[in-house]
Amino acid sequence: MQFTAQQIGLLLNGTIEGDPLVPVNQLAKIEEAKPGSLSFLANPKYEQYLYTTEASVVIVNNNQVLAEPVKATLIRVENAYSAFTILLEKYNTLKLNKTGIEQPSFVHPSAQIGENVYIGAFAYIGQNAKIGNNSKIYPQVFIADDVAVGDNVTIFPGVKIYFDCKIGNNVIIHSGAIIGSDGFGFAPAADGTYTKISQIGNVIVEDDVEIGSNTTIDRATMGSTVIHKGAKLDNLLMIAHNVEIGANTVIAAQTGISGSTKIGDNCVLGGQVGIVGHISIARGSQLMAKSGINRNITEEGKKWGGIPFFTGYMENLRIEAAVTHLPAMEKRLVELEKIISELRKDVH
Amino acid sequence: MQFTAQQIGLLLNGTIEGDPLVPVNQLAKIEEAKPGSLSFLANPKYEQYLYTTEASVVIVNNNQVLAEPVKATLIRVENAYSAFTILLEKYNTLKLNKTGIEQPSFVHPSAQIGENVYIGAFAYIGQNAKIGNNSKIYPQVFIADDVAVGDNVTIFPGVKIYFDCKIGNNVIIHSGAIIGSDGFGFAPAADGTYTKISQIGNVIVEDDVEIGSNTTIDRATMGSTVIHKGAKLDNLLMIAHNVEIGANTVIAAQTGISGSTKIGDNCVLGGQVGIVGHISIARGSQLMAKSGINRNITEEGKKWGGIPFFTGYMENLRIEAAVTHLPAMEKRLVELEKIISELRKDVH
Amino acid sequence: MQFTAQQIGLLLNGTIEGDPLVPVNQLAKIEEAKPGSLSFLANPKYEQYLYTTEASVVIVNNNQVLAEPVKATLIRVENAYSAFTILLEKYNTLKLNKTGIEQPSFVHPSAQIGENVYIGAFAYIGQNAKIGNNSKIYPQVFIADDVAVGDNVTIFPGVKIYFDCKIGNNVIIHSGAIIGSDGFGFAPAADGTYTKISQIGNVIVEDDVEIGSNTTIDRATMGSTVIHKGAKLDNLLMIAHNVEIGANTVIAAQTGISGSTKIGDNCVLGGQVGIVGHISIARGSQLMAKSGINRNITEEGKKWGGIPFFTGYMENLRIEAAVTHLPAMEKRLVELEKIISELRKDVH
């Protein structure tokens, strides 16, 4: 895809300074841009790059003053950052503008398919499944029987959604994510073997959720595992059966949450965190990367961390610092013991 | 699927109290049940819910005494919990009762397919592969050349099994699990590059094993990586080349086991545990979540934990408590040093 | 596949001692070999097994002296270890010698497919995608629009590669790996919701890289996430947006690297390591398994470890030892406080 500065200026309702016919075919940061790139300058901290960049076109704020001559063609707009964001979105939309049903794909005759839908080759849509309007089901996706998918949903290649699960509107699910596999539930028998406990619940993913690649969300034993509206889940997470993730909660990669735990709204969890089952984490909590959380957090809006116990965030930083002093502390302790032993001899 | 209280009573050989024609279409916990739900009461602790539940039908023990009037239709049976478990299983069986070969699928002419098998659309069955009786191969599964799959096996959508691997009877493998990818073996060269060591072994999964979604089990360099009978593996595990997992051992999500390590029978491993290569963990060991295990465990049936070293479980709890006291301990140490320095002045 | 000792001797240009017609059909370690196995002896430490092995054929060095009679047929060669490695590779090549295009598969008419390529059933090759010569695209792989794949590349079943990504020559990607899913980038709004930041960069995987199963590598926000030449990545890694992994760097399973972090060349990272975003790790660094790295490492070629802070490797070992002494240290501190309190009474 190639555009001229003029075409982009028209799109953004901007003013051109320099050659309006210079072509661009990619978007890049101003400090990394090569010829043929379109870039932007919004943060004054980066102004120096405006005079040295190899970008062919740079979007700047209307009030940008030029301290030196600029080689690139400029497009002046009200807000350079927003204008660039609009271009990012347009680029992505162009790349992801699939529609129609590719063949071979498998759509059960009883499935209900909305309008303006994309169904990629080798995708599987089961019995009584429902796909909303404007949704995109990429190749090799599996949508089991009785699954409902909302409107404007994007499901990338290879996602698997087990039976009975519900996906809201405007949801994005990345490749390899597994929604609705069995919860990890077994009853121990006297002889040491385990009997599987049937997992007949489902997973409910509410509107505006994004789920990262290869994340797994297990179905509830009974009832539902729920990802509430606007939550954002990174790659390779483990969300166990009957967990609830609060609205607008953000969870970084490789974190695992054990069965029946409830994470409140507007929480932020770092990567590689582990949380035991059957506890609650209060709204607005922030958990440091790699933390091991094994108790309820009832106070809202605080930072926590530490492995495998947990303490307040600042207290944990103090503990971490003290841990690095430990070998020295141990030596000092031995030294004190010696001195005291001598002192006692002197005194008695 | 909708049933009346009467139909379910017949199935369970129970006695109806109340409207036998009330319909139910889902199973739910007594405290969460909505109208149209079938629930059960087994634990006396929950008896209060019997009088307040919105469930349409509740299964109770024959000897259940009613302290107050009950709105729901009751089904009296010998053992309410077992009766409900039977219904859970029947529900699951109905949901997973696929048979036949969907098209398009790829079955090599030399493959041997048992009786009463399900092969989903876009599944791939390689040369000389063998699928046992009553097994279900869901859509988009890949079964490589020379793989053998036993009887009554369920392989959920998107599982990939590399060549030469062997899967026993009654095994369940969840979506996205990868069985038999190459072990991570490279020989360093003098110039800093690495040469791949061919991985020609396989993976053997014995009877009654369950494997969670997106778990990876690497093939042995030579010989076999073995998951012994009745082991239960959760999601997102890493089982490296030449590892052995003992019979009836249970491993929680996101745990990783390095090459050639042997885990004994009847062990329980928490989530996010990491175990180094070439060690043995004794039968019946229990490893705390997030532990880092770097030495052999030779004593059977003990609890262990701690990161990244390890100690006995109780000792580790004491260490964790002491770690939280560290900043205070450090202050007390400074205080003692001051006092002692003054004492010495006084004494000498 | 069955061969005689004679056939293998010819292939390796070796000399036969014993029955040249004895058949073998598998490769095995000398200490585990069963009848019908071909094994080797290179390390003098294992010589004892030469006289007790059940292997039918053993490859030995030309200068191997026999202290006792040997039951197996011997093949004498210049270097037994190299000769065996050649056989391992040949075995693997036989197992993975697929060519041709299986049906049904989806190859966009605009895609460019090289010579001598394998495209498995249910694989998807997008618009303008390019597959180099001698490359193998296994079943159920997804290659998006505008992806370029080099020569001699092996992409195992179920790998998904998003649009615009570039894969070099001689690359191996294992099942379930996801290349180019969106970076985890969201802008917080005043009402607590998050707005997605479009991720329009790509992933570049250079020559000779191997990527393990179910590993995820996110595309850059802008620019490229880069895996440099010869890097080896194990299973279930998380490589975030705009990360760079240096040439010949080796990373063990379940490690996660946050956005924009640069790992130098020739590093070795253990399993379950977590690294924060926007830092640099110097060339040749070695990071202990489970480490949590939150600062730049600028010194080249050193070992580091510890959670969640980090220190030098030896210092960390000392800290770990001291941590196990903590409960005892705390008791000693209490004891000292008591003694000193008494001493003060005595002195004053």
Side-chain angles (χ1 to χ4, degrees), chain B residues 14-37:
Chain B
T15 318
I16 308 291
E17 276 178 36
D19 178 3
L21 297 180
V22 62
V24 289
N25 58 24
Q26 58 176 323
L27 306 173
K29 294 182 195 169
I30 193 164
E31 68 270 30
E32 297 174 350
K34 304 244 158 66
S37 296

Side-chain angles (χ1 to χ4, degrees), chain A residues 144-208:
Chain A
D145 298 351
D146 304 305
V147 167
V149 172
D151 298 337
N152 304 309
V153 169
T154 300
I155 303 184
F156 281 104
V159 168
K160 312 300 178 197
I161 305 181
Y162 282 51
F163 64 93
D164 285 349
C165 294
K166 310 292 172 212
I167 311 293
N169 302 315
N170 312 313
V171 168
I172 297 172
I173 307 180
H174 282 282
S175 283
I178 311 294
I179 315 291
S181 43
D182 281 355
F184 195 61
F186 301 91
D191 63 354
T193 63
Y194 290 87
T195 307
K196 182 176 177 66
I197 298 168
S198 295
Q199 305 287 314
I200 67 147
N202 71 348
V203 176
I204 296 175
V205 175
E206 294 185 354
D207 296 351
D208 306 325

